Amino acid sequence: MRPAHLVPPLFADFCDDAALFPPGNAPVAEAVPAHRNHRAAWYAPLVGPFLVGAERVAEVGAAAEESGGAGRPLDVALVVRGGPSGLAAALEETTKWPGLHLVGVELGPDPEGSPAEAAARGCAALDRELPGQHVHGAVELRREAGSAGLPLALDVVAASPYRVKYRTGGLEPQAFPSAEELAALITGCANRELAFKCTAGLHHAVRYVDPVTGFMHHGFLNILLATHFAVQGADALAVAEVLADHGAEGLAAVAADLTDEQVERARRAFTAYGTCSVLEPLEDLTDLGLLPPA
């Protein structure tokens, strides 16, 4: 077993385990033991909490107790895709399972009103349900055509103790934001010192076209380095250029040369992303020389 310190701080707690979510859709009976194996491996510092949809809490809770017992609780982040209306019931269900240790809540957007109004209702729901708990909260912003509503939505979350969650892909082409849209998010968060996480579509480190679907996918390393430049003061145009970069070697070289302070600032802004396969980023980062080879 290789020492855990070989995972550099740039990638610490970076990959939230979304094995249950599309397109992976792993069965709970396989995903929970696999997550425990990830957390016991040398690369464990790379791996964040296990993401659990509100509708699957009981199933995951039972599997967690079967695989590890109450003495080995599973760190989980609760994903409430239905928005504020489903939060209280999902949290109550989570408390019934001693094998689950809640570390985060990710709240989907309210479908009503503007993105800013939906974000405000999300923040208010977290304020009601999470006081006194050592649980981080994330409010997913509702995407719309164009980005006119984005600044107001970011202002809402920036005035709260929570972070932003943003979708970077999915099962349809319109689920993938353009480089310009994503650059607006990243620079908007950087200008407000607002943390964010991403979800969906980030299967590889560097931007690529899926050969099966033809969809252009963002790279998680592109986003991380775009965030680095944004917190250093780069504008949205320059950030979009980094997001659109397909040059794996050049991106890896920039990542390897970041100072400790630059790493800390970039990761304070871009906290994590959800991946349905922890092994995919592990393999990519190894191939790029950013993690040690097997």
Side-chain angles (χ1 to χ4, degrees), residues 33-220:
H35 182 76
R36 290 197 185 279
N37 289 337
H38 293 320
R39 296 306 299 246
W42 71 270
Y43 56 85
L46 176 72
V47 185
F50 189 71
L51 302 181
V52 182
E55 71 284 357
R56 308 193 76 174
V57 170
E59 190 180 359
V60 173
E65 294 184 9
E66 181 178 346
S67 66
R72 293 181 60 208
L74 199 70
D75 285 348
V76 299
L78 180 63
V79 181
V80 187
R81 290 289 302 274
S85 62
L87 178 58
L91 286 171
E92 182 179 3
E93 180 64 31
T94 304
T95 63
K96 298 176 182 178
W97 298 95
L100 303 182
H101 175 225
L102 185 66
V103 299
V105 173
E106 300 179 7
L107 193 57
D110 189 313
E112 301 298 326
S114 69
E117 291 168 338
R121 283 190 288 273
C123 291
L126 292 174
D127 285 343
R128 287 194 305 272
E129 303 298 339
L130 296 185
Q133 299 190 44
H134 298 290
V135 176
H136 69 73
V139 177
E140 182 177 339
L141 299 187
R142 197 174 70 234
R143 294 181 55 230
E144 292 188 337
S147 56
L150 180 62
L152 291 177
L154 292 177
D155 287 342
V156 168
V157 185
S160 78
Y162 311 118
R163 57 179 168 169
V164 160
K165 178 178 177 179
Y166 208 71
R167 292 203 166 266
T168 45
L171 303 179
E172 299 177 344
Q174 59 268 31
F176 293 80
S178 66
E180 291 74 19
E181 178 185 337
L182 193 51
L185 172 82
I186 293 171
T187 55
C189 287
N191 292 340
R192 293 166 175 79
E193 297 185 348
L194 174 59
F196 71 94
K197 74 162 293 185
C198 293
T199 186
L202 301 179
H203 301 303
H204 292 290
V206 178
R207 183 176 176 89
Y208 74 102
V209 175
D210 186 288
V212 176
T213 65
F215 299 163
M216 177 71 74
H217 286 246
H218 292 287
F220 64 80

